[in-house]
Amino acid sequence: MPSFNEALTFIVSQGPDRLLRILRSTRNRDRLDRPFLATLRKRLAEPPRTPGRLLRAAPVQDGACFDFEQAALEIIFLAEDMVRVSWKPGLEPLPYALVRAPDFAAGIETRPPGVKATLQGDKLTSPLLEVQVAPDGALGFWRGGLLLHQQVAPVFRGEGPAAAWTSQARLRPEEALFGLGEHVRSFNLRGSTHRLWNTDPGGRYGPAADPIYMPLPVIMGLHSQGSYLTFYENPFPADFSCTPADLEAGEYQLQFEGGMLRYYFITGAPDRLLERYTGLTGRPGLPPLWSLGYHQSRWGYKSAADIRQVAAGFREHNLPLSAISMDIDYMRGYRVFTVDPERFPDLPGLARELADHGIHLVTIIDPGVKVDPSYEVYRQGLEIGAFCKEPDGRLAQGVVWPGWAAFPDFTDPAARDWWAGLYQPLFEAGISGIWHDMNEPPSFSAWGETRLSLAVKHNLEGSGGDHHQAHNLYGFLMNRAGWEGQRRLRPERRPWLISRSGWAGQQRYAWNWTADTEASWKGLRMTLRTILGTSLSGQPYNGPDIGGFSGNPEAELYLRWFQLATFLPFFRTHSATGTARREPWVYGETYTTIIREHLRLRYRLLPYLYTLAWQASQSGAPLVRPLFWAQPENPALWEIDDAFLLGDQLLVAPAWEPGQIKRTVLLPPGQWVDLWTDTCYSGGTEVTLPVSLERLPVLVRLGSVLPLGKDTPPEIGDQENTTLHLHVYPPRPEELATEGEILAGELFSDAGDGYDTGRVDRFFLRHTAQGWEVTRQEQAHYPFPFSEVRVYWHTDISPITRPSQDGLKPASVPSRRWEDLSQPLQSD
Ligand code: MIG
C-alpha cells in the first residue's frame, strides 16, 4: 500500500486528465473482477480435498500412472535424474516454458533414449532416482539410499479443469531453499513468504517489497543428503509460504490458484541442476559482445542532442562506453514503435554517428499501445484482432504512459507474429538492442494491484483463457515475440533483449534487470541477493540500475554500486526522471578516476566474461553464482548473499556500508589471491579483507589462468593488433597430487556477433621439476583473434617459471603485480 504522501505525489505527477482516466480504468477493472473474484475466492475457500487412497498403479512408457480415489498421478522419467510429476484434475499447462515441447518421445536434449523406469509395488525407479508413492499420495524422492525430498500428499480445491492445487513439502531441519526468481526479501527462502505474481511495485521498491517483476516457479533445495531442483510448470498466481507460524515445523506450501499440479524434480549438484533445468527450458544463445560492455541510460534523455552530449561527455572524460539506452522519451507521445520527429529528426544518422564511436543504441518498447484511431500500430492491431478483450468482446483497456492503451495478446500466435514485425523500422534505423519494460503488465490504478482485470480474455494458443492464467506469461511471451522478430528481421545478428518481467524459459529470449530499486544502501544490498536468486532460477543475465532507480545516491553509494556492477552481467547506469544527472563524471574527482579504472577493468575482463557467456549457452550455468556453488555440501556457505563468484575463478566481496574499510567473508575451499595485491588467503576460513574507496576485494582462485583483453570497447581501435594477457595463478605444488596437469582456464572467442563458429582455447598448468608451465589446447574453427599473448605469472607462491613450448610467448616479466596493470599494458 502506498503511503498518503506517495499517493499524493502520484496524483500530482499524473495530472488531472490522466487521474480521471486512472479512476475510470480502476473502476472498470473492479467491475470486471468482481464476478471473477467471487467465483475464485469461493473455490479457494472450499475445504481442501486430498487424493484419497491409492487404488492401483500401472506402468506406462518411461514411468507409471497411479489412480487415487479422487485424483490421478502420473510420473514420467525424462532422464535418470529427472522426473515429471503430474496430478490431475486441473488444467494442463501449455508447454510454453519447454524448449522442445511437448513431445517428450521426440527427446529432450538431455534425455537418454528410453529411461528404464521400473515399477515395483509403490516404487518407481531409474538407475539414479527412486520415487516412492505412499498410499495417501505422499511422494518420496530417493537417490543412493538417501531421501532427497518429501512431498506431503497434495491437496486441491475445485472440480475438473477448475481445480487448484497446493503442493506441500517436508523439509529437513538444516535444509535451505533458493530460487523463486526475482524477489528481495531473502536469499534463503526458509522463513519467508512470496507471491508468484508478476508485479510492478511502482517506481520504487525497498527490501520489504513482494512480489516484484519476475517471480519464477523454481526452487532449489540444499541439505545434508544432497540437493535438488523443483520446477512447477504452472503459470497461475501462487503463494509460497515457508514460515513456522502457520505450518508444521519444516514445511513449505505452494498454493496455486489454478491448473493441475505439475512439477519436474531434478537431482544433482547445483551446476548439474541448472544444466538439467535449462536443458528442459532452454539456454540463452550467445549475446553480442558489445552488450557485455558498459551501458548508459536515463529516463529523461529527451533529444538526439541530449544523447550526443552524453556520448561526448564520455569521450571528454575518457570513459569507454558501449551502449546508450533510449527510454520512453524518444517516442511520439509514448506511442510504441514511433520516434518523435522533432526531438529525434534523424535517428539513423544518430545511430551511425554513435556507431563510429563504438556506441550502440538500445530503445525501450512497452506493450501498451495507445488507443488512437490515427495511429498505425493501433489500427493494425485492431484490424487483426491482436489485442486482449473483455469477456463481452470489447477491447480491454488500461492506462499507461500514453493514456488509454490496448494490450497485445502475446498468447496469440498471430499477435506475436504481427508484433515481431513491428521492430523493423527500429532495426532499419540502426538500433542494436531492445529493452522491454512494463510487461508484467501493469495498468496504473487508483487502488489495489496495478494490473488488468483477471477476467480479460486471452487466446492461449487457441485454447482460450483469462488473464488470471495468462498474466504471468505475458512478459515472457512478449519477449518471445521480440526475440523472434530480431531473428527474423536481422538474421545475421544476434538478438539482444532485456526485459523487466518474464516466466520460466525467459532465459532463452531476454536478459533481466532489477529495475526500480530505491537509491539507498539497503537498495544496494538487496540487489545482490536478488541477482543470486534469479541466477539460481535459470536466468543467468541480470544486473541493477547502478545507483538505484529512484532517488539520488551520494557519490560513495553510486561508486559502490558501480564497482559491484563491474562484475555483474548487465552493467548499466540508469535513473528515474527528475533525479539528478548521473553520468559517471558528475561526482567529480576522485570518483571519476576510480570509475574510469573500473570501466577499463570491465573491458579487460571481456574475454573472461564472454567465455562465461559461452559456458552459459552450453550448460546454463549462471555467470554470477553464490559461494556455495564451489562447495554445495558445506552448509556454512549456503546463507552467504553478500559476496559472490563470477565464474569459477573470481570471488567478489562488495562493500555495503558508507566508510567501509574492511569486511569479512568465509572463503570456499582452495587458495584465493587478492587481484590487486597478490596477497594469498586460505579457503575454508573466514578472512578479513581490506576495502578501500578505490577497490572492492576481488580474489582469484589459485590454479587459474585468467584471460584479459584490452581496456576499451572491442569495436574501438586496431583489431589486428590486440594482445591477450594471460594472468597465471599456479596452485600450490603440494596441492597437486602428482605431476599432473590441471585445466586452469578456458577462453572462447569468435566474431562477437553473428552465427559463425568460434574457438575454444583451454589452458593447462603443469608442474615439472623445472617449475610451472602453461600449455594451450585449441579447438579452433575460428582464427586466434589475438596478435600476441603475454603471460603474467603471479608466483608469490610458486616463483619458478618456465616458458611454455606451444607458441605462447614467454613472460618477459616473470611476476607482475596488479597495480602495474593500471598503466597501459603495452609497456613491458
Ligand atoms: O512507469 O520508462 O523500470 O527503468 O525508466 C515507469 C520509464 C516506466 C519503469 C522502468 C524504468 C523506466 C521507466 N519505466
Side-chain angles (χ1 to χ4, degrees):
M1 270 282 125
S3 70
F4 177 74
N5 272 343
E6 276 168 336
L8 202 67
T9 317
F10 182 73
I11 291 167
V12 170
S13 72
Q14 295 289 331
D17 283 1
R18 181 165 297 150
L19 200 66
L20 269 179
R21 281 196 291 267
I22 291 175
L23 280 170
R24 279 176 51 199
S25 164
T26 313
R27 278 220 310 271
N28 189 48
R29 182 203 65 198
D30 284 0
R31 178 183 63 85
L32 295 171
D33 269 357
R34 222 165 284 131
F36 189 92
L37 281 175
T39 320
L40 179 69
R41 290 201 178 121
K42 208 174 123 220
R43 180 159 68 238
L44 297 179
E46 280 175 20
R49 288 157 68 188
T50 60
R53 282 173 39 81
L54 176 59
L55 302 176
R56 68 191 77 83
V60 297
Q61 202 205 326
D62 302 336
C65 279
F66 303 83
D67 287 336
F68 288 78
E69 285 167 326
Q70 312 195 67
L73 166 68
E74 180 202 68
I75 302 175
I76 303 282
F77 273 88
L78 305 177
E80 292 185 348
D81 52 3
M82 168 159 69
V83 288
R84 190 187 74 177
V85 175
S86 313
W87 279 101
K88 284 183 208 168
L91 216 54
E92 179 160 355
L94 291 162
Y96 284 128
L98 307 185
V99 67
R100 271 182 223 163
D103 182 10
F104 292 116
I108 281 183
E109 180 186 1
T110 45
R111 181 187 196 195
V115 184
K116 264 203 55 201
T118 321
L119 180 67
Q120 263 184 328
D122 57 359
K123 257 189 242 151
L124 185 66
T125 50
S126 80
L128 273 186
L129 184 63
E130 176 184 308
V131 187
Q132 196 157 27
V133 181
D136 69 344
L139 300 184
F141 299 86
W142 298 75
R143 182 173 177 155
L146 300 174
L147 181 57
L148 279 180
H149 186 57
Q150 225 182 339
Q151 287 269 334
V152 180
V155 296
F156 66 103
R157 295 165 170 94
E159 303 280 341
W165 287 81
T166 301
S167 165
Q168 326 187 62
R170 215 170 274 300
L171 304 174
R172 295 182 59 87
E174 79 285 6
E175 186 162 350
L177 299 178
F178 303 99
L180 287 187
E182 192 186 33
H183 56 79
V184 285
R185 281 192 190 154
S186 58
F187 178 45
N188 186 349
L189 305 166
R190 282 304 283 268
S192 70
T193 61
H194 294 283
R195 183 157 169 82
L196 306 187
W197 183 249
N198 299 359
T199 299
D200 174 6
R204 174 192 212 110
Y205 70 91
D210 191 88
I212 55 169
Y213 318 98
M214 195 184 70
L216 302 169
V218 176
I219 297 173
M220 183 184 280
L222 257 61
H223 54 69
S224 58
Q225 313 286 295
S227 43
Y228 65 88
L229 183 144
T230 312
F231 161 44
Y232 289 91
E233 192 186 10
N234 185 326
F236 280 91
D239 286 296
F240 171 86
S241 175
C242 192
T243 62
D246 48 351
L247 300 168
E248 273 182 59
E251 271 186 341
Y252 80 68
Q253 291 200 0
L254 183 54
Q255 178 167 15
F256 290 94
E257 293 180 9
M260 65 191 276
L261 177 60
R262 168 172 287 167
Y263 58 89
Y264 299 80
F265 180 86
I266 313 171
T267 78
D271 54 346
R272 181 66 173 165
L273 295 175
L274 283 177
E275 191 179 346
R276 279 297 194 209
Y277 172 68
T278 57
L280 189 68
T281 60
R283 299 185 180 124
L286 272 170
L289 184 56
W290 63 264
S291 64
L292 289 166
Y294 176 71
H295 303 230
Q296 179 67 31
S297 180
R298 170 181 179 74
W299 181 6
Y301 291 152
K302 284 201 159 48
S303 66
D306 256 6
I307 288 187
R308 280 201 185 90
Q309 223 176 53
V310 170
F314 275 82
R315 286 198 295 281
E316 216 171 279
H317 294 91
N318 197 12
L319 300 167
L321 173 67
S322 287
I324 298 180
S325 308
M326 292 163 58
D327 205 326
I328 46 174
D329 315 280
Y330 80 88
M331 298 173 196
R332 182 168 59 81
Y334 302 129
R335 287 168 185 83
V336 287
F337 302 108
T338 68
V339 179
D340 187 285
E342 264 155 40
R343 290 177 292 108
F344 289 87
D346 178 19
L347 187 56
L350 178 67
R352 267 197 311 274
E353 204 180 302
L354 293 177
D356 287 343
H357 298 288
I359 303 168
H360 295 257
L361 278 178
V362 171
T363 46
I364 199 168
I365 289 291
D366 292 355
V369 173
K370 186 178 180 68
V371 171
D372 168 4
S374 68
Y375 162 39
E376 185 58 21
V377 175
Y378 175 68
R379 279 216 310 264
Q380 283 178 12
L382 267 194
E383 211 172 283
I384 64 165
F387 297 125
C388 298
K389 302 198 179 52
E390 294 185 353
D392 67 0
R394 268 189 301 186
L395 184 73
Q397 297 188 36
V399 179
V400 274
W401 292 107
W404 286 111
F407 290 81
D409 181 4
F410 294 110
T411 71
D412 175 354
R416 284 200 300 272
D417 191 57
W418 163 67
W419 187 267
L422 294 175
Y423 297 84
Q424 177 139 29
L426 291 175
F427 294 139
E428 274 168 6
I431 298 305
S432 296
I434 302 291
W435 167 19
H436 281 173
D437 189 24
M438 303 288 281
N439 55 358
E440 295 70 30
S443 170
F444 298 151
S445 306
W447 56 82
E449 294 180 338
T450 52
R451 56 160 175 79
L452 300 173
S453 164
L454 302 175
V456 161
K457 291 292 166 203
H458 285 268
N459 175 284
L460 287 153
E461 310 305 299
S463 67
D466 49 45
H467 197 63
H468 188 235
Q469 179 185 354
H471 174 89
N472 281 343
L473 296 165
Y474 193 88
F476 163 75
L477 291 172
M478 178 191 185
N479 297 336
R480 175 166 159 188
W483 186 88
E484 283 168 354
Q486 294 199 32
R487 288 293 293 125
R488 191 163 90 207
L489 301 168
R490 263 193 346 189
E492 71 294 346
R493 307 253 312 258
R494 297 173 194 161
W496 191 77
L497 193 53
I498 184 150
S499 167
R500 201 168 69 173
S501 189
W503 197 62
Q506 155 79 12
Q507 68 275 7
R508 305 202 288 273
Y509 306 124
W511 293 19
N512 167 256
W513 93 109
T514 53
D516 303 355
T517 42
E518 57 180 45
S520 67
W521 288 91
K522 277 184 186 148
L524 169 66
R525 180 67 185 79
M526 75 190 184
T527 292
L528 180 58
R529 156 165 99 227
T530 303
I531 287 173
L532 287 170
T534 33
S535 282
L536 290 176
S537 311
Q539 169 59 269
Y541 292 101
N542 31 42
D545 285 345
I546 296 174
F549 177 71
S550 56
N552 296 313
E554 69 261 31
E556 188 186 354
L557 176 57
Y558 177 70
L559 179 66
R560 290 316 195 192
W561 224 308
F562 200 98
Q563 290 169 322
L564 164 64
T566 302
F567 302 97
L568 298 175
F570 185 47
F571 186 26
R572 184 184 76 165
T573 294
H574 179 62
S575 53
T577 181
T579 54
R581 294 293 287 227
R582 211 187 283 171
E583 290 74 35
W585 58 84
V586 301
Y587 295 97
E589 289 305 338
T590 52
Y591 295 96
T592 310
T593 298
I594 303 173
I595 286 169
R596 184 180 303 113
E597 278 175 9
H598 278 77
L599 283 168
R600 288 183 171 165
L601 172 60
R602 170 71 172 211
Y603 283 101
R604 276 182 200 159
L605 280 168
L606 275 192
Y608 180 66
L609 284 167
Y610 197 52
T611 302
L612 293 180
W614 170 73
Q615 288 168 356
S617 76
Q618 302 297 302
S619 70
L623 285 70
V624 168
R625 308 161 186 177
L627 297 194
F628 71 68
W629 191 270
Q631 196 192 24
E633 62 281 8
N634 180 1
L637 295 172
W638 293 347
E639 303 278 336
I640 300 176
D641 64 359
D642 65 352
F644 64 99
L645 297 170
L646 178 62
D648 278 345
Q649 304 188 353
L650 294 181
L651 185 154
V652 183
W656 304 114
E657 284 157 23
Q660 201 168 340
I661 52 164
K662 62 180 186 207
R663 61 158 290 169
T664 57
V665 63
L666 174 62
L667 296 177
Q671 303 291 320
W672 296 87
V673 177
D674 188 309
L675 177 73
W676 321 102
T677 63
D678 272 3
T679 311
C680 186
Y681 300 89
S682 285
T685 54
E686 187 168 89
V687 299
T688 300
L689 303 169
V691 177
S692 66
L693 192 64
E694 288 77 15
R695 290 163 181 178
L696 301 179
V698 179
L699 305 180
V700 189
R701 195 174 48 81
L702 270 201
S704 296
V705 172
L706 186 65
L708 301 181
K710 57 177 187 153
D711 60 0
T712 51
E715 271 96 345
I716 298 296
D718 183 0
Q719 285 307 309
E720 269 65 61
N721 272 314
T722 58
T723 303
L724 174 69
H725 304 272
L726 287 182
H727 287 263
V728 184
Y729 297 85
R732 295 213 160 127
E734 67 270 18
E735 287 188 356
L736 284 181
T738 54
E739 272 218 346
E741 227 178 28
I742 60 158
L743 174 61
E746 275 188 329
L747 172 66
F748 175 81
S749 359
D750 67 6
D753 202 345
Y755 291 90
D756 285 346
T757 48
R759 64 178 288 135
V760 184
D761 291 274
R762 296 202 161 83
F763 303 105
F764 293 87
L765 280 174
R766 187 142 61 105
H767 193 243
T768 68
Q770 285 82 19
W772 285 102
E773 97 187 1
V774 61
T775 56
R776 181 177 77 192
Q777 228 176 52
E778 58 182 50
Q779 218 175 38
H781 310 283
Y782 180 79
F784 192 62
F786 300 95
S787 53
E788 188 194 10
V789 180
R790 289 191 200 173
V791 182
Y792 305 83
W793 293 91
H794 294 259
T795 47
D796 282 29
I797 302 108
S798 318
I800 324 152
T801 66
R802 198 178 73 154
S804 76
Q805 290 140 6
D806 78 332
L808 287 182
K809 260 188 136 189
S812 41
V813 185
S815 177
R816 192 163 163 178
R817 294 303 181 88
W818 188 264
E819 281 99 326
D820 309 333
L821 299 181
S822 56
Q823 304 308 314
L825 286 163
Q826 281 74 2
S827 65
D828 247 9

